[in-house]
Amino acid sequence: MAVLEKNTMISLAEDAVKAALKQGAQDAEAYVYEGQASNIGIELGQISKTNRIIDRGIGIRVAANKAIGFAYTNIVEDQKAIEKAVSGALSAARASKPDPDWNGLPQKKNYSETHKTYDKKILALTSEELVNIAATMLDAAGQVDKRVFPIEGGIGSAYIANAIANSNGVTGFDRGTVIECSVATLAKEGNSVTPVCFEFNAGRTYNLDPAWIGREAAKLAVSALKTKPVETKSGKVILTQFALQDLLSYTLINAIRADSVQRDQSPFKGKLGEKVASENLTIYDDGLFAGGLHTWAFDGEGAPHQKTPVIEKGILKNFLYDNYSARKDGKESTGNASRAGYLSTPGIDTTNFHIMPGTKTAQEMLSEVDDGLIIYYLQGAHSSNPVSGEFSVVATPAWKIKNGEITHCSRGVMLAGNIFELLKNISVVGGNERQMGQLIAPWIQVENVRVIGQ
Amino acid sequence: MKDLIAKITNTATQKFGAKYAEARAQKLYKTSLTLKEERVEAAKQGIENGVAIRVLVNGAWGFASVGSFDDAILESAVSDACRMAKLASARLKTPIKLANTKVVNDRVISKPKKNPADIQMEEKIKTALSINKASLGFDKRIKSCSVDYFDLTGTSTFANSEGTFIEQDKLYVWSRITASAASEGVFTFSREEIGSTAGYELFDTQVPEVLGVKVAKLAIEQLNAKSPKGGKFPVVLGPNVVGVFVHEAFGHLAEADLALSGGVLDSNLGKKIGSDLVTFYDDGTIEGAFGAFKYDDEGVPSHKTLLIKDGVVTGLMHNRETAQKFNAQPTGNARAEDFRVEPIIRMRCTYMAPKDQSFEELVKGVKAGYYFKSFRGGQANLDGTFQVGIQEGYEIVNGELGSAVRNASISGSTLETLHKVDGVGKDFMLDPGRCGKGQTAFISDGGPHIRISEVVVGGSA
């Protein structure tokens, strides 16, 4: 099915806004989304499934007497369905309670140009080519070792487009591409099964190395076959991007959201300008990062994306704002209103959360550790206390580092502590940056982490 | 609707060479609300129409989803699904086959006492607001409280090329309450979820004011709690923790797709992996329970599936594909979140069967350990490592409950831990929840109080 044209999407949004104003809304906003994705899937060691998903819809947010209503529909071809959504949003608002803090929708501002977010090559990929890429990855994993079993994975390409309009004259359209290729493997020997080891490439432009993905996932699984316990103690831990992503998304990210701060849910409240982390740590929320998985011209309510310093050399610089929380603090939105397609209202989230890299290579980092652990994957990070930052998680698995070399794998190792203490104990920030979901980060070495062995 | 989807399955088999085809057309109506500190963030409602098409061509799956009932669009989706499946099948080593299941013709009508679709938005806001107010008013150290409310009604119409045709109503009512408390630099957090497939009458038993206070109390109690010691300890687990343990530590391993993926259960079918006290079920037939339904998204009737009996693995949760591989009966566990995704093996209501001990007896048997009453998140890995975070916990000293502990978690190997279950209570409770496996599924889990002789407790002290 052909994608909706830019003009069609913008007029869908603008017409809905006009209709809402006509029906008595004080503020109105319409967000139109379209996603078309093709996936080739690996299951139980073979390419055995495919899917093609087309999803489009419109979400309408209105304010009537400072009360907010929202309605959506995925029937965009039918003018009546859209009108029904508009009146649904208004009736929801009229049923709701006024919010004294409501202070309007974003004002019209200029958008910056985004880079490396749209690649025609991704859209031109045929199903045959996708199957071949998946096969290359699968074969590479299988060739590493007979004990490796690729359990799932695949390759997916997608086209995504957003249009927005509001009653302050904001109109925007942006579109982009995404490609993702991944495989999850485990290794089996006798009765011993390793944890799932995962590797991937994901990006906005076509730049894949499927053989590398297959090989790396398989190598990790094989290295997790033989395990030895580690002792319970506090020590050095290198966190890879997988572990960082898990840990940070349930703790630090919550603490820097302006709504958490305003609701007394962040230990960072009142700490702007103070030292909250090791001086090695600098983090930007960069919604314009070239090729970033979350790079778009504007956010979920049409505020321009920007690059916001969050922590610079350990000093807390800014919180992340949407328009609502910004108005409450007398500030400007930082462009962090995030939206799950057309199905919901925006909420504050990071764009590309960029931990600035240091200079050391992975090899240099490992070689300088005399006694420690390296953690790839974590389990249970979502059970962390999002307010206090306390966590108690399992490494699945951990690898022991002795005299600069990875010596063996260990299962069931627990890490416990507090993310905000952990930030202060960062001793090395690597140079091996990579992108993983909202995180762009290198490896990070932390001192004095509580490790509970078996 | 019947003609529309019959046409899809006919086109797939007759025109595009599919050996099997199914279509699932859905009309869904959703309402949701978020309240924070008595402020309604947004009152939301939505309508979704769409069709999921799944075909088997030369032993490979093709799936397509479109948000439309338009003939031409559906035909192009069927064609896409068949073409892509055919391409993928070129590399197949083991073509996919489906276990037989009986042809069904049925109309399943939900009969709520209070249909959420008939309840006005004002009323739903009022309910959420009472929860919110009760929580915030409980203690001035409560700093924030969020109430999420969600309901879904609608119809899912399923047909396949074997002649099955099922029109099944869908109904869910769900709410989550979270509260945070702060005092003297200590931040705590608590949460509670309720849910039902019966109707809005859920709030007749889950009284909003009581619910609000319950969540607030949990956050306040943790303020004075201490960090637990890390290490191996005996523990007594409450039904809420037992539920998530059964779900995470065992349930996922008993999903046949994950067992086939190399999970530890594949090699343990028919073997004793737990103490005699351990009996687990996954039951899709409990009326009104979150996660219960009459037919799954492959048109298979939902079963009560025995997973472990007296410590011996007796069965797995199947879809038609895995049932064929194991030469077993499909159990009705194939579920899809909506028409945008394909059905995969999911749990329904997963629980441990009660035995005969009282809570006091269980606690009495512990010299130095913990009582973990409710959880905050849990996760498992295919190698059988699990982790469950604890929201509400207490020390046990010389057989008696002691001080509260916060931010604890338990972890271990499922297969070792099930052997260490040395006491099972006579009480029983099911809690609703949501499970993520790429898609979200509404589920329940639970059981009685149990005692485990040794488990790793993660604590920072």
Side-chain angles (χ1 to χ4, degrees), chain A residues 422-448:
Chain A
L422 187 145
L423 293 179
K424 290 174 184 158
N425 292 330
I426 293 173
S427 51
V428 184
V429 175
N432 55 340
E433 140 178 318
R434 71 180 292 192
Q435 200 177 160
M436 195 169 291
Q438 281 153 303
L439 184 72
I440 303 167
W443 286 2
I444 280 177
Q445 183 181 319
V446 187
E447 306 295 312
N448 207 22

PDB file of all heavy atoms in Angstrom, chain A residues 422-448:
ATOM      1  N   LEU A 422      26.419   4.882  42.183  1.00  0.00           N
ATOM      2  CA  LEU A 422      27.169   4.288  41.074  1.00  0.00           C
ATOM      3  C   LEU A 422      27.710   5.374  40.133  1.00  0.00           C
ATOM      4  O   LEU A 422      28.853   5.315  39.691  1.00  0.00           O
ATOM      5  CB  LEU A 422      26.244   3.313  40.352  1.00  0.00           C
ATOM      6  CG  LEU A 422      26.790   2.423  39.245  1.00  0.00           C
ATOM      7  CD1 LEU A 422      26.067   1.075  39.286  1.00  0.00           C
ATOM      8  CD2 LEU A 422      26.609   3.028  37.883  1.00  0.00           C
ATOM      9  N   LEU A 423      26.886   6.402  39.880  1.00  0.00           N
ATOM     10  CA  LEU A 423      27.312   7.479  38.972  1.00  0.00           C
ATOM     11  C   LEU A 423      28.553   8.198  39.505  1.00  0.00           C
ATOM     12  O   LEU A 423      29.384   8.680  38.746  1.00  0.00           O
ATOM     13  CB  LEU A 423      26.182   8.499  38.783  1.00  0.00           C
ATOM     14  CG  LEU A 423      24.926   8.036  38.059  1.00  0.00           C
ATOM     15  CD1 LEU A 423      23.912   9.176  37.983  1.00  0.00           C
ATOM     16  CD2 LEU A 423      25.246   7.533  36.656  1.00  0.00           C
ATOM     17  N   LYS A 424      28.642   8.266  40.842  1.00  0.00           N
ATOM     18  CA  LYS A 424      29.789   8.956  41.449  1.00  0.00           C
ATOM     19  C   LYS A 424      31.044   8.093  41.396  1.00  0.00           C
ATOM     20  O   LYS A 424      32.151   8.582  41.555  1.00  0.00           O
ATOM     21  CB  LYS A 424      29.462   9.320  42.904  1.00  0.00           C
ATOM     22  CG  LYS A 424      28.405  10.415  43.000  1.00  0.00           C
ATOM     23  CD  LYS A 424      27.992  10.665  44.443  1.00  0.00           C
ATOM     24  CE  LYS A 424      26.861  11.686  44.467  1.00  0.00           C
ATOM     25  NZ  LYS A 424      26.069  11.596  45.709  1.00  0.00           N
ATOM     26  N   ASN A 425      30.852   6.790  41.219  1.00  0.00           N
ATOM     27  CA  ASN A 425      31.985   5.868  41.250  1.00  0.00           C
ATOM     28  C   ASN A 425      32.461   5.434  39.865  1.00  0.00           C
ATOM     29  O   ASN A 425      33.138   4.432  39.729  1.00  0.00           O
ATOM     30  CB  ASN A 425      31.601   4.623  42.070  1.00  0.00           C
ATOM     31  CG  ASN A 425      31.414   4.971  43.546  1.00  0.00           C
ATOM     32  OD1 ASN A 425      32.049   5.892  44.044  1.00  0.00           O
ATOM     33  ND2 ASN A 425      30.549   4.243  44.223  1.00  0.00           N
ATOM     34  N   ILE A 426      32.062   6.200  38.843  1.00  0.00           N
ATOM     35  CA  ILE A 426      32.527   5.868  37.487  1.00  0.00           C
ATOM     36  C   ILE A 426      33.989   6.270  37.369  1.00  0.00           C
ATOM     37  O   ILE A 426      34.346   7.419  37.596  1.00  0.00           O
ATOM     38  CB  ILE A 426      31.691   6.611  36.420  1.00  0.00           C
ATOM     39  CG1 ILE A 426      30.255   6.079  36.434  1.00  0.00           C
ATOM     40  CG2 ILE A 426      32.312   6.477  35.041  1.00  0.00           C
ATOM     41  CD1 ILE A 426      29.305   6.861  35.542  1.00  0.00           C
ATOM     42  N   SER A 427      34.846   5.306  37.047  1.00  0.00           N
ATOM     43  CA  SER A 427      36.271   5.622  36.964  1.00  0.00           C
ATOM     44  C   SER A 427      36.763   5.734  35.525  1.00  0.00           C
ATOM     45  O   SER A 427      37.685   6.476  35.242  1.00  0.00           O
ATOM     46  CB  SER A 427      37.079   4.565  37.714  1.00  0.00           C
ATOM     47  OG  SER A 427      36.700   3.271  37.271  1.00  0.00           O
ATOM     48  N   VAL A 428      36.145   4.975  34.618  1.00  0.00           N
ATOM     49  CA  VAL A 428      36.581   5.044  33.212  1.00  0.00           C
ATOM     50  C   VAL A 428      35.363   5.078  32.297  1.00  0.00           C
ATOM     51  O   VAL A 428      34.418   4.321  32.488  1.00  0.00           O
ATOM     52  CB  VAL A 428      37.433   3.806  32.823  1.00  0.00           C
ATOM     53  CG1 VAL A 428      37.949   3.954  31.393  1.00  0.00           C
ATOM     54  CG2 VAL A 428      38.574   3.576  33.794  1.00  0.00           C
ATOM     55  N   VAL A 429      35.395   5.996  31.324  1.00  0.00           N
ATOM     56  CA  VAL A 429      34.371   6.004  30.286  1.00  0.00           C
ATOM     57  C   VAL A 429      35.083   5.655  28.980  1.00  0.00           C
ATOM     58  O   VAL A 429      36.019   6.338  28.579  1.00  0.00           O
ATOM     59  CB  VAL A 429      33.698   7.392  30.189  1.00  0.00           C
ATOM     60  CG1 VAL A 429      32.719   7.434  29.021  1.00  0.00           C
ATOM     61  CG2 VAL A 429      32.984   7.727  31.490  1.00  0.00           C
ATOM     62  N   GLY A 430      34.682   4.573  28.360  1.00  0.00           N
ATOM     63  CA  GLY A 430      35.384   4.084  27.178  1.00  0.00           C
ATOM     64  C   GLY A 430      35.156   4.931  25.944  1.00  0.00           C
ATOM     65  O   GLY A 430      34.383   5.888  25.955  1.00  0.00           O
ATOM     66  N   GLY A 431      35.831   4.553  24.856  1.00  0.00           N
ATOM     67  CA  GLY A 431      35.671   5.277  23.595  1.00  0.00           C
ATOM     68  C   GLY A 431      34.833   4.490  22.600  1.00  0.00           C
ATOM     69  O   GLY A 431      34.606   4.923  21.478  1.00  0.00           O
ATOM     70  N   ASN A 432      34.362   3.326  23.020  1.00  0.00           N
ATOM     71  CA  ASN A 432      33.676   2.407  22.094  1.00  0.00           C
ATOM     72  C   ASN A 432      32.179   2.638  22.082  1.00  0.00           C
ATOM     73  O   ASN A 432      31.405   1.774  22.466  1.00  0.00           O
ATOM     74  CB  ASN A 432      34.002   0.959  22.466  1.00  0.00           C
ATOM     75  CG  ASN A 432      33.675   0.633  23.912  1.00  0.00           C
ATOM     76  OD1 ASN A 432      33.545   1.534  24.748  1.00  0.00           O
ATOM     77  ND2 ASN A 432      33.528  -0.630  24.230  1.00  0.00           N
ATOM     78  N   GLU A 433      31.791   3.825  21.612  1.00  0.00           N
ATOM     79  CA  GLU A 433      30.380   4.178  21.678  1.00  0.00           C
ATOM     80  C   GLU A 433      29.538   3.417  20.657  1.00  0.00           C
ATOM     81  O   GLU A 433      29.971   3.153  19.546  1.00  0.00           O
ATOM     82  CB  GLU A 433      30.301   5.692  21.474  1.00  0.00           C
ATOM     83  CG  GLU A 433      29.195   6.196  20.640  1.00  0.00           C
ATOM     84  CD  GLU A 433      29.221   7.724  20.563  1.00  0.00           C
ATOM     85  OE1 GLU A 433      29.452   8.387  21.586  1.00  0.00           O
ATOM     86  OE2 GLU A 433      29.013   8.251  19.460  1.00  0.00           O
ATOM     87  N   ARG A 434      28.336   3.049  21.046  1.00  0.00           N
ATOM     88  CA  ARG A 434      27.373   2.502  20.097  1.00  0.00           C
ATOM     89  C   ARG A 434      25.956   2.882  20.511  1.00  0.00           C
ATOM     90  O   ARG A 434      25.723   3.298  21.646  1.00  0.00           O
ATOM     91  CB  ARG A 434      27.514   0.978  19.965  1.00  0.00           C
ATOM     92  CG  ARG A 434      27.053   0.212  21.188  1.00  0.00           C
ATOM     93  CD  ARG A 434      27.209  -1.286  21.001  1.00  0.00           C
ATOM     94  NE  ARG A 434      26.294  -1.832  20.001  1.00  0.00           N
ATOM     95  CZ  ARG A 434      26.087  -3.138  19.834  1.00  0.00           C
ATOM     96  NH1 ARG A 434      26.737  -4.011  20.574  1.00  0.00           N
ATOM     97  NH2 ARG A 434      25.252  -3.574  18.926  1.00  0.00           N
ATOM     98  N   GLN A 435      25.040   2.721  19.578  1.00  0.00           N
ATOM     99  CA  GLN A 435      23.665   3.148  19.781  1.00  0.00           C
ATOM    100  C   GLN A 435      22.782   1.950  20.108  1.00  0.00           C
ATOM    101  O   GLN A 435      22.854   0.930  19.431  1.00  0.00           O
ATOM    102  CB  GLN A 435      23.201   3.790  18.474  1.00  0.00           C
ATOM    103  CG  GLN A 435      22.029   4.685  18.655  1.00  0.00           C
ATOM    104  CD  GLN A 435      21.595   5.394  17.380  1.00  0.00           C
ATOM    105  OE1 GLN A 435      20.491   5.834  17.305  1.00  0.00           O
ATOM    106  NE2 GLN A 435      22.453   5.513  16.383  1.00  0.00           N
ATOM    107  N   MET A 436      21.957   2.106  21.135  1.00  0.00           N
ATOM    108  CA  MET A 436      21.093   1.014  21.543  1.00  0.00           C
ATOM    109  C   MET A 436      19.784   1.623  22.031  1.00  0.00           C
ATOM    110  O   MET A 436      19.722   2.171  23.114  1.00  0.00           O
ATOM    111  CB  MET A 436      21.786   0.268  22.671  1.00  0.00           C
ATOM    112  CG  MET A 436      21.206  -1.074  22.971  1.00  0.00           C
ATOM    113  SD  MET A 436      22.287  -1.980  24.075  1.00  0.00           S
ATOM    114  CE  MET A 436      23.699  -2.330  23.049  1.00  0.00           C
ATOM    115  N   GLY A 437      18.761   1.590  21.192  1.00  0.00           N
ATOM    116  CA  GLY A 437      17.504   2.230  21.573  1.00  0.00           C
ATOM    117  C   GLY A 437      17.735   3.709  21.791  1.00  0.00           C
ATOM    118  O   GLY A 437      18.270   4.407  20.925  1.00  0.00           O
ATOM    119  N   GLN A 438      17.365   4.204  22.977  1.00  0.00           N
ATOM    120  CA  GLN A 438      17.531   5.629  23.249  1.00  0.00           C
ATOM    121  C   GLN A 438      18.938   5.979  23.725  1.00  0.00           C
ATOM    122  O   GLN A 438      19.277   7.137  23.868  1.00  0.00           O
ATOM    123  CB  GLN A 438      16.501   6.064  24.293  1.00  0.00           C
ATOM    124  CG  GLN A 438      15.132   6.254  23.658  1.00  0.00           C
ATOM    125  CD  GLN A 438      14.022   6.045  24.636  1.00  0.00           C
ATOM    126  OE1 GLN A 438      13.911   4.997  25.257  1.00  0.00           O
ATOM    127  NE2 GLN A 438      13.185   7.049  24.796  1.00  0.00           N
ATOM    128  N   LEU A 439      19.726   4.950  24.007  1.00  0.00           N
ATOM    129  CA  LEU A 439      21.052   5.188  24.568  1.00  0.00           C
ATOM    130  C   LEU A 439      22.119   5.203  23.484  1.00  0.00           C
ATOM    131  O   LEU A 439      22.131   4.365  22.591  1.00  0.00           O
ATOM    132  CB  LEU A 439      21.353   4.073  25.576  1.00  0.00           C
ATOM    133  CG  LEU A 439      22.666   4.188  26.344  1.00  0.00           C
ATOM    134  CD1 LEU A 439      22.592   5.319  27.367  1.00  0.00           C
ATOM    135  CD2 LEU A 439      22.985   2.880  27.050  1.00  0.00           C
ATOM    136  N   ILE A 440      23.010   6.198  23.563  1.00  0.00           N
ATOM    137  CA  ILE A 440      24.231   6.165  22.761  1.00  0.00           C
ATOM    138  C   ILE A 440      25.350   6.254  23.786  1.00  0.00           C
ATOM    139  O   ILE A 440      25.475   7.262  24.485  1.00  0.00           O
ATOM    140  CB  ILE A 440      24.315   7.348  21.785  1.00  0.00           C
ATOM    141  CG1 ILE A 440      23.070   7.365  20.875  1.00  0.00           C
ATOM    142  CG2 ILE A 440      25.588   7.274  20.951  1.00  0.00           C
ATOM    143  CD1 ILE A 440      22.908   8.665  20.095  1.00  0.00           C
ATOM    144  N   ALA A 441      26.133   5.199  23.937  1.00  0.00           N
ATOM    145  CA  ALA A 441      27.088   5.182  25.036  1.00  0.00           C
ATOM    146  C   ALA A 441      28.231   4.221  24.761  1.00  0.00           C
ATOM    147  O   ALA A 441      28.102   3.296  23.958  1.00  0.00           O
ATOM    148  CB  ALA A 441      26.382   4.759  26.328  1.00  0.00           C
ATOM    149  N   PRO A 442      29.340   4.454  25.446  1.00  0.00           N
ATOM    150  CA  PRO A 442      30.450   3.499  25.428  1.00  0.00           C
ATOM    151  C   PRO A 442      30.338   2.563  26.642  1.00  0.00           C
ATOM    152  O   PRO A 442      29.377   2.666  27.399  1.00  0.00           O
ATOM    153  CB  PRO A 442      31.662   4.403  25.581  1.00  0.00           C
ATOM    154  CG  PRO A 442      31.162   5.526  26.444  1.00  0.00           C
ATOM    155  CD  PRO A 442      29.696   5.691  26.169  1.00  0.00           C
ATOM    156  N   TRP A 443      31.333   1.679  26.827  1.00  0.00           N
ATOM    157  CA  TRP A 443      31.409   0.918  28.080  1.00  0.00           C
ATOM    158  C   TRP A 443      31.762   1.881  29.211  1.00  0.00           C
ATOM    159  O   TRP A 443      32.455   2.883  28.995  1.00  0.00           O
ATOM    160  CB  TRP A 443      32.530  -0.121  28.009  1.00  0.00           C
ATOM    161  CG  TRP A 443      32.243  -1.304  27.153  1.00  0.00           C
ATOM    162  CD1 TRP A 443      31.121  -1.532  26.412  1.00  0.00           C
ATOM    163  CD2 TRP A 443      33.130  -2.409  26.938  1.00  0.00           C
ATOM    164  NE1 TRP A 443      31.253  -2.734  25.753  1.00  0.00           N
ATOM    165  CE2 TRP A 443      32.463  -3.289  26.056  1.00  0.00           C
ATOM    166  CE3 TRP A 443      34.395  -2.757  27.397  1.00  0.00           C
ATOM    167  CZ2 TRP A 443      33.053  -4.489  25.638  1.00  0.00           C
ATOM    168  CZ3 TRP A 443      34.975  -3.942  26.981  1.00  0.00           C
ATOM    169  CH2 TRP A 443      34.302  -4.807  26.107  1.00  0.00           C
ATOM    170  N   ILE A 444      31.325   1.518  30.402  1.00  0.00           N
ATOM    171  CA  ILE A 444      31.631   2.343  31.561  1.00  0.00           C
ATOM    172  C   ILE A 444      32.145   1.464  32.683  1.00  0.00           C
ATOM    173  O   ILE A 444      31.588   0.391  32.952  1.00  0.00           O
ATOM    174  CB  ILE A 444      30.368   3.123  31.984  1.00  0.00           C
ATOM    175  CG1 ILE A 444      30.225   4.334  31.070  1.00  0.00           C
ATOM    176  CG2 ILE A 444      30.418   3.556  33.439  1.00  0.00           C
ATOM    177  CD1 ILE A 444      29.012   5.150  31.314  1.00  0.00           C
ATOM    178  N   GLN A 445      33.238   1.896  33.303  1.00  0.00           N
ATOM    179  CA  GLN A 445      33.773   1.127  34.434  1.00  0.00           C
ATOM    180  C   GLN A 445      33.415   1.818  35.754  1.00  0.00           C
ATOM    181  O   GLN A 445      33.591   3.017  35.900  1.00  0.00           O
ATOM    182  CB  GLN A 445      35.293   0.996  34.316  1.00  0.00           C
ATOM    183  CG  GLN A 445      35.897   0.137  35.422  1.00  0.00           C
ATOM    184  CD  GLN A 445      37.405   0.055  35.293  1.00  0.00           C
ATOM    185  OE1 GLN A 445      37.941  -0.073  34.190  1.00  0.00           O
ATOM    186  NE2 GLN A 445      38.099   0.162  36.426  1.00  0.00           N
ATOM    187  N   VAL A 446      32.893   1.036  36.677  1.00  0.00           N
ATOM    188  CA  VAL A 446      32.476   1.574  37.969  1.00  0.00           C
ATOM    189  C   VAL A 446      33.239   0.861  39.081  1.00  0.00           C
ATOM    190  O   VAL A 446      33.473  -0.342  39.012  1.00  0.00           O
ATOM    191  CB  VAL A 446      30.956   1.360  38.171  1.00  0.00           C
ATOM    192  CG1 VAL A 446      30.480   2.071  39.424  1.00  0.00           C
ATOM    193  CG2 VAL A 446      30.179   1.860  36.965  1.00  0.00           C
ATOM    194  N   GLU A 447      33.641   1.621  40.087  1.00  0.00           N
ATOM    195  CA  GLU A 447      34.357   1.045  41.232  1.00  0.00           C
ATOM    196  C   GLU A 447      33.378   0.711  42.346  1.00  0.00           C
ATOM    197  O   GLU A 447      32.323   1.320  42.459  1.00  0.00           O
ATOM    198  CB  GLU A 447      35.377   2.066  41.786  1.00  0.00           C
ATOM    199  CG  GLU A 447      36.350   2.610  40.758  1.00  0.00           C
ATOM    200  CD  GLU A 447      37.272   1.544  40.198  1.00  0.00           C
ATOM    201  OE1 GLU A 447      37.856   0.778  40.988  1.00  0.00           O
ATOM    202  OE2 GLU A 447      37.384   1.481  38.948  1.00  0.00           O
ATOM    203  N   ASN A 448      33.791  -0.251  43.171  1.00  0.00           N
ATOM    204  CA  ASN A 448      33.107  -0.477  44.436  1.00  0.00           C
ATOM    205  C   ASN A 448      31.621  -0.866  44.280  1.00  0.00           C
ATOM    206  O   ASN A 448      30.766  -0.389  45.002  1.00  0.00           O
ATOM    207  CB  ASN A 448      33.227   0.809  45.275  1.00  0.00           C
ATOM    208  CG  ASN A 448      33.161   0.502  46.747  1.00  0.00           C
ATOM    209  OD1 ASN A 448      33.435  -0.630  47.150  1.00  0.00           O
ATOM    210  ND2 ASN A 448      32.757   1.470  47.545  1.00  0.00           N
TER     211      ASN A 448
END
